[in-house]
């Protein structure tokens, strides 16, 4: 969720592909496999925090929904308590 939010992927036209998310995660020192990112996105999509956007070069894009932003905010508040 944080990767989507920090990259302004918040509507269907500005989503990120899994490859773009992996590049961002790896640049920040978080080594994840493609399958791990895919599984987490699948769960976040099923729970209504993320949605699929438009296709980009034959790859699905994903973007954060308002409920995903709310979840991040609540997590930040809990971390500050």
């Amino acid at each position: 969720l944080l990767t989507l939010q920090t990259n302004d992927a918040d509507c269907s036209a500005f989503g990120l592909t899994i490859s773009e998310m992996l590049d961002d995660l790896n640049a920040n020192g978080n080594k994840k496999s493609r399958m791990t990112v895919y599984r987490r996105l699948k769960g976040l999509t099923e729970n209504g925090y993320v949605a699929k956007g438009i296709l980009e070069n034959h790859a699905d894009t994903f973007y954060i929904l308002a409920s995903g932003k709310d979840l991040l905010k609540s997590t930040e508040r809990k971390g500050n308590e």
Side-chain angles (χ1 to χ4, degrees), residues 7-75:
N7 287 288
D8 297 322
D10 56 4
C11 70
S12 62
F14 296 106
L16 294 177
T17 64
I18 291 176
S19 295
E20 291 169 330
M21 286 183 244
L22 283 170
D23 291 343
D24 187 69
L25 289 167
N26 289 334
N28 292 319
N30 297 315
K31 301 289 183 188
K32 303 289 181 202
S33 73
R34 181 178 210 71
M35 187 53 77
T36 298
V37 173
Y38 172 78
R39 284 186 193 133
R40 290 198 179 163
L41 283 170
K42 184 177 177 187
L44 291 168
T45 302
E46 289 171 355
N47 289 307
Y49 299 116
V50 172
K52 281 188 180 184
I54 59 174
L55 287 176
E56 181 179 303
N57 294 326
H58 305 288
D60 288 327
T61 61
F62 297 87
Y63 64 98
I64 190 168
L65 298 173
S67 56
K69 290 179 183 180
D70 292 341
L71 181 63
L72 281 176
K73 287 178 188 175
S74 68
T75 303

